[in-house]
Amino acid sequence: MAPVKRKRQLTEDEDPDVVDEENAQSSLQEDTRKRARASYDEPPSDGLQNLTDEEMFEEQATQFLTQQRGKKDMDNEPADNGIIESITCQNFMCHSHLEITLGPLINFIIGHNGSGKSAILTAITICLGGKATATNRGQSLKSFIKEGQESSTLTVKIKNKSDSAYQPEVYGDSIIVERHFSRSGSSNFRLKTSTGRLISNRKADLEEICDYFALQIDNPMNVLTQDMARQFLNSSTPVEKYKFFMKGTQLEHLDGDYLQIEQSIDKIDQDLFKNLKDVEIFEEEAKKAKSLLMLSEKHESLREKIRGFSFQMAWAQVEEQERYVTACDDDLRKAAERIESAKQKAVQESDTFDNANRALELANAAAMALKEGLVPIQEDRDLVKHEHDKFKAEAMNSHAEQRQIKEVLKAAKARVTKTEGEIKEEHRRLDEANGGSHTIRLAEIEQKKADVIAAMNRLAEHENTAGHLESKKQNADIAYSNSQAPFNPKRSEVQQCEERLNTLVRDRGHQQGAHKPSMSRLLNAIRQDDAFLQKPAGPLGNHVQLLKPVWSSILEKSFGGALEAFIVTSKQDQSRLSALMQKVGCICPILIGNNAPIDTANHEPDSSYDTVLRVLEIDDDLVRKQLIINQAIEQTVLTERRDDGVKALEGPSSLHVKQCYTLNVKPGSGLRLTHGYGGGLSQSYIDPFKGVPRMKTDIEYQINSQRETLRRLKSELNELESHRRDKQASLKACEQAIVRHRKESNGLGIAVQSAKGIVEELQDALDRDVIEEGRLDVLKEHLLEAKEEVTTHEASYEDSVVAIDKARESLKTSRDQMTILDARIAEVEAQVSKADNKTTKMSAQRDGALHLKNSAYDSIDKAVLHKQSVEKERAEKVGIVAQFTEQANKICARVPVDAGETGESLDKKLKKLSADLKKHEDKLGGDKRKIAESAAQAVETYTLAKMEVAKVEELAQLLKYTLVNRKDRWRQFQRCITARARLQFFYLLSERGFRGRLIANHKEKKLDLNVEPDETRTGKGRETKTLSGGEKSFSTICLLLSLWDAMGAPIRCLDEL
């Protein structure tokens, strides 16, 4: 596999392709229009071609043999580079793993059939960039992968030492080539240094290395597979041997390239013949164009007239624009006069406005004085009105007092009448009185009193039970209120749980449903805003996935609003995000962080505990860092049992444990355990989270958990409802008992009252029967008092009549005063109204004067705007004049315009003359400019075509000469390589005492050999068919080695000799 050390035959300054072009002669230099195809297949006759001369061959062979035998004692030195040091196969063909280290010279690999010898040769071909079809072992790389494996890797190590090494400063002493391919069709190369550092993965770099070391992997003679070796060694014909020889020495490839060059030369000759015809056509067209140009120049006088009118036309337009400028100057003068007139009128209108304004101010002052004089009159009327109202009230009070006195007098007279009747009745009663029924009535009264006492005792006993009933009712009322208190919250809790369940089912897979309705608008606004220094991260819940859903409620409750927050890295981004939140109506907390990493590896609890950080999967480093800083998630332990949490906080493995969350009996709730201030444990209750989960988690688990929570809450609600109904029934029973008690109390009270009434009636009857002494005298005294009272009230009534008359007189006086004051007020108000009307009139006059004043100033503004417009128009006209003047100067210097000529008249003359010129030009095929351009273009086209044909002819001659030179060199290579192979073949046969010769017939494309088994010269030798098996194999191997030596390839491989 390794060649002998090769020596460089050409120095850097030598170039085998450089020839003497001045003295070169080409047999292809014939007529370029019609040229017969030259043949390059027949080699010219020279001295080396006549190698059939037996004596010359014998002499050369003897000399070569002597030289080779003289070198036998020399050491065979290995090459410093370009040889394979080792081969490694991984999952390749029948090998799972095979590594072979090769020697620096020749290597033999032996083994049983099917042991994978050929796989090594195939691995070299594939790894060094050869095609799968070149190995005759498969059609694609997938067929070389070991059965049951998905990929294969090949590695070849190439020696790379000495000064002629390939990029030794990059690759070092060895170049490692790796090729990896898989069943999916992927394939890649890796070029590494001797230390394993990757340099490149481009196949082009591998091909460059193979070209540098002349590793002809795809050459069928360089790497002979089993099939090719069998075909070459056993059954190849002279023609097939010649084909192998041509392919192996790359002469066939060069011959094909030269054939393509020859075909290209023929194509160039054909194109050149067509181009010469085109040049003749271009020459003829150039001559015609020159003739037309000469005819066109005869109408120059007509063109001169047109040119003169064109000059006048250009300056006539300038004069026309100058007249526009003069008109603008007149307009500016008039505009200035109008502005001055408008200013004078504005001054007049301003004076008129000032006069009207002063008159209005005087009218306002007069009206204000009248209104101020009206105020004291109105105040006097108000005082009179107050006195009138006072007198009126006193009159009304007197009338009321009179009516009251009249009623009291009437009542006094009625008492007199009544007393007189009682005196008469007393006289009658005294006459009829007797004492027989008095004792009977006394006994009856005592009996009824006893009945009253008994009824009162029953009522008292009944009232004593009312307190117990009221107390029982109060207790029932309290119990009912207590049962009612948790019912409504529990019902609300059930409704909220149903809403959360419906939300989870409806928003299955849509996490945004857990956030505010405007959150999606905020996120869209953040995505569309490219002004952030770094895009905000948030809300935090979107970046957190809970791996153990059982902790969802506790962690959601503990994190609180932090899961709604956003994180930015600068104050500028915070302000921008806050503005976006205000804009879309979604206000959330904003945290400021940084991109510095946090390493918690040495600050976390023992790995046997679950922490919040370990049950969360966080996809953003900013979110992870903020939760570590604000929530201490890396030091918060999660345990299902409280005892385990206490152990985590106080046990031997409590290092780096800051707090602990444990599950509670109530689903969704938990306990938070921390270290207290005194060193002990502190415990706080964590209520269940009642919202939609904001962290990403197993949605099915959440739905099932919510359903279980809803079932439990409904069960608790049913229990509370049943308990509430029981307490309500107890309360109603107590209320009904109290109602019955009250009815019974009312009945007993009525009985007591009835008994008392009977006693009072009996007592009254008894009292009436008792003879009271002095009653008649009392009645007479009452009668005397009643008569005196009548006399007193009659005197009061007369006083009230006098008071009423006096009040009426005072009312009349005050009413007269009010009438006088009302008349004065009406008079002053009329004067005020007249003053107001005058003020209104003056105000209208002022407004009119103001309108005229404003109109005058508007006229000034309009006049100024008109002047500015005229000035702008004049500036534009001046610009146009300057532009037209510049354009006219480009045409010619200023020329006078004929009197009476205008742009329009000149245009008509130009059109007439141009029409006459156009008629002449149409006859010639165009105007002078076009004809001149056509003529110039035709001449240029002819010149360029002629130059191009000359260049192509020169290129064709150069290619023909180069092709002849290359073919000569190719024949020299062919003869030299053949001679070297022939001499090497002779030498190798002599190593076993054989004699023979290699017969190469390039004309018939045959390669054959004649061999004599010993050195005894018996004739011209024998053909291979007459040789024995061993002789045939030896001679064929000598032929193969001779061809290899002639090829000069550093790697020569043969599969199965």
Side-chain angles (χ1 to χ4, degrees):
M1 290 248 178
V4 297
K5 185 173 182 179
R6 295 175 281 109
K7 294 183 178 180
R8 189 177 183 86
Q9 295 180 354
L10 295 175
T11 64
E12 294 179 356
D13 296 331
E14 294 175 343
D15 188 353
D17 294 333
V18 176
V19 297
D20 187 359
E21 295 183 0
E22 294 180 357
N23 300 324
Q25 297 293 330
S26 174
S27 61
L28 298 176
Q29 295 178 357
E30 301 176 1
D31 186 3
T32 57
R33 298 180 182 179
K34 296 182 179 179
R35 184 181 65 84
R37 177 184 173 88
S39 175
Y40 303 93
D41 294 335
E42 294 294 336
S45 176
D46 55 20
L48 289 177
Q49 185 64 24
N50 297 327
L51 290 178
T52 58
D53 188 289
E54 191 68 25
E55 292 179 358
M56 182 182 292
F57 175 74
E58 288 292 339
E59 182 180 356
Q60 292 178 351
T62 301
Q63 293 175 357
F64 183 76
L65 183 61
T66 302
Q67 294 174 358
Q68 294 295 328
R69 287 178 176 174
K71 297 179 181 179
K72 279 188 176 181
D73 296 333
M74 296 177 62
D75 293 335
N76 192 6
E77 297 180 1
D80 292 330
N81 51 64
I83 64 175
I84 297 177
E85 294 181 325
S86 65
I87 306 164
T88 304
C89 304
Q90 188 77 26
N91 297 329
F92 184 76
M93 297 182 70
C94 62
H95 299 293
S96 297
H97 179 79
L98 175 66
E99 182 174 0
I100 295 181
T101 303
L102 301 178
L105 298 173
I106 190 168
N107 293 271
F108 292 93
I109 299 175
I110 60 176
H112 297 290
N113 290 336
S115 60
K117 302 185 298 297
S118 300
I120 300 172
L121 181 58
T122 303
I124 295 174
T125 303
I126 296 299
C127 187
L128 295 181
K131 297 179 181 179
T133 55
T135 64
N136 291 330
R137 310 287 290 185
Q139 295 299 319
S140 64
L141 293 177
K142 294 186 288 186
S143 60
F144 296 116
I145 301 175
K146 182 176 175 62
E147 189 69 26
Q149 302 296 327
E150 292 298 323
S151 62
S152 177
T153 303
L154 302 175
T155 306
V156 172
K157 186 177 182 182
I158 303 174
K159 191 175 182 181
N160 190 45
K161 296 182 179 180
S162 78
D163 295 338
S164 60
Y166 179 79
Q167 299 183 6
E169 70 281 358
V170 177
Y171 291 94
D173 294 338
S174 299
I175 299 176
I176 299 175
V177 181
E178 287 187 4
R179 187 170 188 180
H180 179 83
F181 50 93
S182 64
R183 293 191 183 276
S184 62
S186 62
S187 175
N188 59 78
F189 293 91
R190 294 188 181 93
L191 300 180
K192 299 181 178 179
T193 64
S194 56
T195 59
R197 182 169 61 89
L198 179 65
I199 300 298
S200 174
N201 55 9
R202 298 171 61 248
K203 186 178 180 182
D205 295 337
L206 174 60
E207 293 174 349
E208 184 178 348
I209 293 173
C210 292
D211 291 342
Y212 183 84
F213 290 128
L215 303 178
Q216 304 172 16
I217 300 302
D218 287 335
N219 193 331
M221 285 295 294
N222 195 24
V223 181
L224 276 173
T225 62
Q226 288 185 1
D227 296 336
M228 297 298 293
R230 191 180 301 112
Q231 180 181 354
F232 177 76
L233 298 177
N234 298 331
S235 61
S236 60
T237 63
V239 175
E240 293 173 343
K241 287 185 177 66
Y242 186 83
K243 289 182 178 179
F244 275 111
F245 169 73
M246 294 294 287
K247 288 183 179 179
T249 57
Q250 299 292 305
L251 292 173
E252 183 181 41
H253 180 69
L254 288 174
D255 187 48
D257 293 342
Y258 295 152
L259 180 60
Q260 291 182 0
I261 295 174
E262 183 180 356
Q263 293 173 354
S264 299
I265 293 175
D266 291 341
K267 180 67 169 58
I268 292 174
D269 287 341
Q270 295 174 7
D271 293 340
L272 188 59
F273 179 76
K274 295 178 181 179
N275 291 340
L276 286 174
K277 293 292 185 182
D278 294 337
V279 170
E280 294 176 358
I281 295 173
F282 292 151
E283 183 179 8
E284 193 67 27
E285 290 178 352
K287 292 179 180 180
K288 291 180 179 179
K290 289 180 180 180
S291 300
L292 286 174
L293 182 60
M294 294 175 63
L295 291 174
S296 176
E297 289 176 351
K298 294 180 180 180
H299 303 289
E300 190 62 29
S301 61
L302 184 59
R303 291 192 185 91
E304 189 65 27
K305 290 183 180 180
I306 293 175
R307 194 176 300 111
F309 285 137
S310 299
F311 293 163
Q312 292 188 33
M313 179 73 175
W315 288 105
Q317 294 177 359
V318 173
E319 290 182 356
E320 183 178 354
Q321 295 300 323
E322 288 175 345
R323 287 193 292 272
Y324 287 149
V325 173
T326 303
C328 288
D329 290 336
D330 294 338
D331 291 342
L332 284 175
R333 180 180 53 77
K334 295 178 182 179
E337 293 176 355
R338 283 196 294 271
I339 291 174
E340 187 62 29
S341 176
K343 287 182 178 179
Q344 294 177 359
K345 185 176 180 181
V347 171
Q348 295 175 359
E349 296 298 340
S350 179
D351 293 340
T352 302
F353 169 74
D354 292 339
N355 294 331
N357 192 36
R358 284 193 294 271
L360 177 62
E361 290 176 354
L362 292 175
N364 285 331
M368 185 61 63
L370 290 174
K371 290 178 181 179
E372 290 176 354
L374 181 63
V375 171
I377 299 174
Q378 289 178 339
E379 290 178 353
D380 292 342
R381 183 187 181 283
D382 292 338
L383 290 175
V384 174
K385 178 70 167 53
H386 178 70
E387 292 295 331
H388 176 269
D389 293 338
K390 180 180 177 182
F391 292 148
K392 186 176 180 180
E394 290 177 355
M396 292 178 65
N397 290 334
S398 297
H399 280 289
E401 184 179 356
Q402 187 181 39
R403 285 194 297 273
Q404 185 176 6
I405 293 172
K406 189 182 291 184
E407 292 294 331
V408 173
L409 179 60
K410 183 179 178 180
K413 290 180 178 180
R415 280 198 299 277
V416 170
T417 303
K418 180 181 178 183
T419 303
E420 290 175 349
E422 288 178 350
I423 291 173
K424 292 179 181 180
E425 179 64 23
E426 183 64 19
H427 284 291
R428 185 189 61 80
R429 188 185 64 79
L430 289 175
D431 293 338
E432 296 177 355
N434 62 72
S437 60
H438 184 71
T439 301
I440 298 172
R441 289 182 177 177
L442 286 175
E444 186 177 359
I445 287 173
E446 291 299 327
Q447 181 60 40
K448 295 299 180 181
K449 287 182 178 180
D451 293 340
V452 169
I453 292 171
M456 291 177 65
N457 290 336
R458 289 194 298 272
L459 179 59
E461 292 177 359
H462 188 72
E463 290 294 338
N464 289 335
T465 61
H468 173 69
L469 293 177
E470 288 292 339
S471 176
K472 188 174 181 182
K473 187 253 185 185
Q474 290 177 358
N475 294 335
D477 194 8
I478 293 172
Y480 176 69
S481 299
N482 294 336
S483 66
Q484 183 74 14
F487 178 77
N488 292 330
K490 183 63 69 174
R491 183 165 58 187
S492 299
E493 190 175 355
V494 170
Q495 293 174 352
Q496 293 174 1
C497 185
E498 289 176 343
E499 292 176 358
R500 290 195 297 271
L501 177 60
N502 294 333
T503 302
L504 286 173
V505 175
R506 182 181 66 252
D507 297 337
R508 187 192 305 263
H510 300 282
Q511 191 182 5
Q512 296 302 330
H515 300 288
K516 301 177 180 178
S518 56
M519 181 64 72
S520 58
R521 297 198 301 273
L522 176 58
L523 294 178
N524 289 334
I526 293 174
R527 283 193 292 269
Q528 295 173 4
D529 194 333
D530 297 330
F532 285 104
L533 300 178
Q534 181 177 345
K535 289 288 186 181
L540 269 60
N542 285 8
H543 299 279
V544 179
Q545 181 172 1
L546 181 60
L547 303 179
K548 293 187 176 182
V550 69
W551 297 102
S552 175
S553 177
I554 293 176
L555 295 184
E556 291 277 356
K557 189 70 176 180
S558 300
F559 287 154
L563 296 178
E564 301 282 344
F566 283 78
I567 303 175
V568 296
T569 57
S570 64
K571 186 67 176 178
Q572 178 181 348
D573 287 351
Q574 182 191 24
S575 301
R576 190 165 192 85
L577 180 58
S578 178
L580 283 180
M581 289 180 177
Q582 295 287 345
K583 182 177 180 181
V584 302
C586 183
I587 308 301
C588 299
I590 302 177
L591 307 176
I592 298 181
N594 56 62
N595 293 316
I598 291 182
D599 185 8
T600 61
N602 298 325
H603 303 280
E604 295 188 28
D606 188 83
S607 59
S608 61
Y609 291 112
D610 277 343
T611 64
V612 176
L613 179 60
R614 291 169 184 168
V615 301
L616 297 180
E617 183 176 325
I618 305 173
D619 61 8
D620 190 281
D621 290 338
L622 280 175
V623 176
R624 177 179 178 273
K625 186 165 64 176
Q626 287 300 321
L627 290 178
I628 289 174
I629 295 173
N630 297 332
Q631 304 291 334
I633 60 174
E634 84 284 8
Q635 295 182 348
T636 301
V637 174
L638 303 176
T639 61
E640 294 186 2
R641 298 171 61 251
R642 183 182 181 281
D643 295 341
D644 294 337
V646 174
K647 181 179 178 182
L649 285 170
E650 297 182 341
S653 59
S654 62
L655 183 64
H656 303 311
V657 178
K658 187 174 183 180
Q659 60 183 351
C660 178
Y661 292 151
T662 66
L663 298 178
N664 198 12
V665 177
K666 184 178 180 181
S669 63
L671 297 176
R672 178 176 177 268
L673 304 177
T674 58
H675 292 288
Y677 292 106
L681 287 181
S682 174
Q683 174 177 304
S684 58
Y685 182 74
I686 301 176
D687 293 324
F689 180 68
K690 298 181 180 181
V692 179
R694 296 160 293 180
M695 295 185 293
K696 293 184 285 187
T697 184
D698 185 358
I699 190 63
E700 296 299 331
Y701 177 86
Q702 292 290 338
I703 292 174
N704 294 333
S705 176
Q706 198 66 26
R707 286 173 176 166
E708 179 62 25
T709 301
L710 179 61
R711 184 196 60 77
R712 176 180 55 78
L713 291 176
K714 285 185 176 180
S715 176
E716 294 176 357
L717 180 64
N718 292 333
E719 293 178 359
L720 290 175
E721 176 66 17
S722 177
H723 181 67
R724 186 177 69 88
R725 286 196 297 267
D726 293 342
K727 296 303 179 182
Q728 186 177 17
S730 299
L731 177 61
K732 287 184 177 180
C734 293
E735 290 176 347
Q736 291 174 358
I738 291 174
V739 170
R740 289 194 299 273
H741 182 274
R742 288 175 179 173
K743 289 181 178 180
E744 292 175 357
S745 295
N746 291 335
L748 292 174
I750 292 171
V752 171
Q753 292 296 331
S754 299
K756 287 182 177 180
I758 294 172
V759 171
E760 290 176 357
E761 290 178 356
L762 291 176
Q763 187 65 42
D764 290 341
L766 181 62
D767 291 339
R768 286 194 298 268
D769 291 341
V770 176
I771 299 173
E772 296 181 0
E773 297 180 358
R775 176 175 174 77
L776 183 60
D777 296 335
V778 171
L779 289 176
K780 289 179 179 180
E781 290 178 358
H782 287 171
L783 178 61
L784 182 61
E785 292 174 357
K787 289 180 177 180
E788 291 178 352
E789 185 177 355
V790 169
T791 302
T792 302
H793 290 316
E794 286 178 349
S796 299
Y797 182 77
E798 290 177 357
D799 293 338
S800 66
V801 171
V802 173
I804 289 172
D805 293 339
K806 186 177 180 180
R808 285 175 180 173
E809 186 65 25
S810 298
L811 279 174
K812 183 178 181 302
T813 302
S814 62
R815 190 178 299 112
D816 293 340
Q817 292 177 355
M818 285 179 62
T819 301
I820 295 171
L821 291 174
D822 286 340
R824 291 182 61 189
I825 289 173
E827 181 181 357
V828 175
E829 286 179 348
Q831 294 176 357
V832 169
S833 177
K834 185 177 180 181
D836 289 339
N837 291 335
K838 184 177 181 180
T839 302
T840 303
K841 182 179 179 181
M842 292 297 176
S843 177
Q845 292 177 356
R846 175 188 175 279
D847 293 341
L850 179 61
H851 176 71
L852 293 175
K853 177 183 176 181
N854 292 336
S855 298
Y857 282 102
D858 289 342
S859 299
I860 295 174
D861 294 338
K862 290 178 181 179
V864 171
L865 290 175
H866 175 68
K867 182 181 178 183
Q868 293 175 352
S869 175
V870 174
E871 289 175 346
K872 182 178 180 182
E873 182 180 0
R874 183 185 183 281
E876 292 176 354
K877 293 299 182 182
V878 170
I880 293 174
V881 169
Q883 182 181 0
F884 279 20
T885 303
E886 182 181 358
Q887 293 176 355
N889 282 323
K890 291 180 180 179
I891 298 174
C892 66
R894 185 153 190 165
V895 296
V897 180
D898 295 339
E901 294 290 352
T902 61
E904 185 177 356
S905 63
L906 290 172
D907 185 52
K908 289 181 180 179
K909 292 180 179 181
L910 280 174
K911 287 182 179 179
K912 183 177 182 305
L913 293 175
S914 298
D916 295 339
L917 181 61
K918 189 173 186 303
K919 290 180 181 179
H920 297 295
E921 289 177 345
D922 289 342
K923 292 179 181 179
L924 296 177
D927 58 8
K928 181 181 178 181
R929 181 183 59 79
K930 184 175 180 182
I931 293 172
E933 290 178 353
S934 299
Q937 185 176 2
V939 172
E940 183 181 3
T941 302
Y942 166 68
T943 304
L944 293 176
K946 188 176 181 180
M947 293 174 60
E948 184 177 356
V949 168
K951 290 181 181 178
V952 174
E953 285 180 342
E954 182 181 357
L955 176 62
Q957 292 299 326
L958 182 60
L959 289 176
K960 292 171 186 176
Y961 172 77
T962 303
L963 178 61
V964 172
N965 192 320
R966 291 286 180 174
K967 293 291 286 187
D968 291 342
R969 285 178 177 269
W970 183 84
R971 294 189 189 95
Q972 291 178 18
F973 292 156
Q974 187 184 55
R975 290 193 296 270
C976 291
I977 293 173
T978 304
R980 181 177 177 86
R982 181 184 291 112
L983 293 175
Q984 184 68 17
F985 178 70
F986 179 80
Y987 164 71
L988 292 174
L989 287 177
S990 67
E991 290 295 304
R992 287 188 60 180
F994 282 34
R995 294 179 63 85
R997 57 181 177 171
L998 188 64
I999 303 172
N1001 190 335
H1002 296 296
K1003 183 177 182 180
E1004 297 181 0
K1005 298 183 179 180
K1006 293 183 179 180
L1007 181 67
D1008 206 353
L1009 60 154
N1010 289 334
V1011 179
E1012 295 182 11
D1014 52 45
E1015 294 183 358
T1016 304
R1017 186 172 182 178
T1018 60
K1020 295 184 179 180
R1022 292 153 52 187
E1023 295 182 357
T1024 56
K1025 295 180 181 179
T1026 63
L1027 299 176
S1028 65
E1031 294 171 345
K1032 182 177 180 181
S1033 297
F1034 176 71
S1035 60
T1036 307
I1037 289 301
C1038 290
L1039 172 61
L1040 178 60
L1041 294 176
S1042 300
L1043 296 180
W1044 276 352
D1045 185 70
M1047 291 164 50
I1051 298 176
R1052 307 160 191 177
C1053 305
L1054 175 61
D1055 192 359
E1056 291 194 6
L1057 178 59

